[in-house]
Amino acid sequence: MIYDNIKNFKRYQNIYGIGDILKTLYDLKEKPLADTQIVIEDKRVFINPVTLKSKKIEECIYESHRKYIDIHYIVSGCEGISVDDVNNLTLREPFSTENDIGFYKSDENITFYLNEGDFLICYPGEAHMVAMAKSEKEIAPITKYVGKVLE
């Protein structure tokens, strides 16, 4: 797991897929959210635009992937993302190998609050609970990109 800000994207330029995604996000930082997926390398390295509303922590669940690295980059808003090792969690339903996603239940563990320009990289096996608001009063819209790198 890596937590950083897009201004430091050059630190990661030599990491396969991650460097390309962070450079692309850096170039997009002054532009409106893209309408469609940005493909860097077909089915291996791509970026999805996402709009959502943060939620109360009790409404959020952990997710994890086995094949893809996730890069959560905040365009606007504030998103809490809690992280934990998947081995510390209880699977809620069978893992979907087709969609490379499993959903888990547990209490929040280590939480990062990402603001505009921040990103969090979660590797396979690093579960992450997304869309968390700091408090019920702070539930608000979030625009972000989620980059995916096939490991």
Side-chain angles (χ1 to χ4, degrees):
M1 190 244 353
I2 298 171
Y3 170 71
D4 206 339
N5 188 280
I6 200 66
K7 67 184 177 202
N8 300 317
F9 77 96
K10 289 183 181 177
R11 291 179 184 167
Y12 311 98
Q13 65 187 357
N14 294 325
I15 303 173
Y16 170 76
I18 292 173
D20 293 327
I21 286 176
L22 292 177
K23 171 68 168 91
T24 301
L25 294 173
Y26 181 81
D27 292 343
L28 289 171
K29 68 184 178 121
E30 302 297 326
K31 297 179 181 169
L33 192 71
D35 293 332
T36 60
Q37 184 179 77
I38 300 163
V39 177
I40 296 170
E41 186 180 332
D42 191 38
K43 297 182 182 173
R44 297 188 58 81
V45 182
F46 53 91
I47 304 167
N48 294 318
V50 178
T51 57
L52 60 110
K53 190 172 185 179
S54 59
K55 303 184 268 189
K56 294 187 287 187
I57 292 170
E58 309 83 62
E59 297 174 1
C60 300
I61 60 171
Y62 278 99
E63 65 180 61
S64 183
H65 313 286
R66 293 181 181 162
K67 295 191 236 174
Y68 282 93
I69 297 167
D70 269 7
I71 303 170
H72 297 265
Y73 169 74
I74 305 304
V75 175
S76 66
C78 176
E79 179 179 27
I81 302 178
S82 186
V83 294
D84 204 339
D85 185 297
V86 73
N87 295 315
N88 297 334
L89 308 175
T90 304
L91 194 61
R92 289 173 54 124
E93 56 194 63
F95 189 92
S96 170
T97 51
E98 181 182 333
N99 296 317
D100 187 42
I101 195 162
F103 296 102
Y104 303 83
K105 55 185 169 184
S106 183
D107 296 327
E108 67 175 302
N109 188 10
I110 301 167
T111 301
F112 296 88
Y113 288 96
L114 284 68
N115 293 293
E116 184 177 328
D118 293 336
F119 65 85
L120 182 73
I121 301 173
C122 298
Y123 285 82
E126 296 176 341
H128 42 287
M129 184 187 310
V130 301
M132 296 169 48
K134 284 185 180 180
S135 70
E136 197 167 341
K137 292 178 182 178
E138 297 182 69
I139 292 173
I142 300 166
T143 55
K144 65 188 273 186
Y145 287 105
V146 179
K148 305 288 263 181
V149 179
L150 184 63
E151 193 176 57

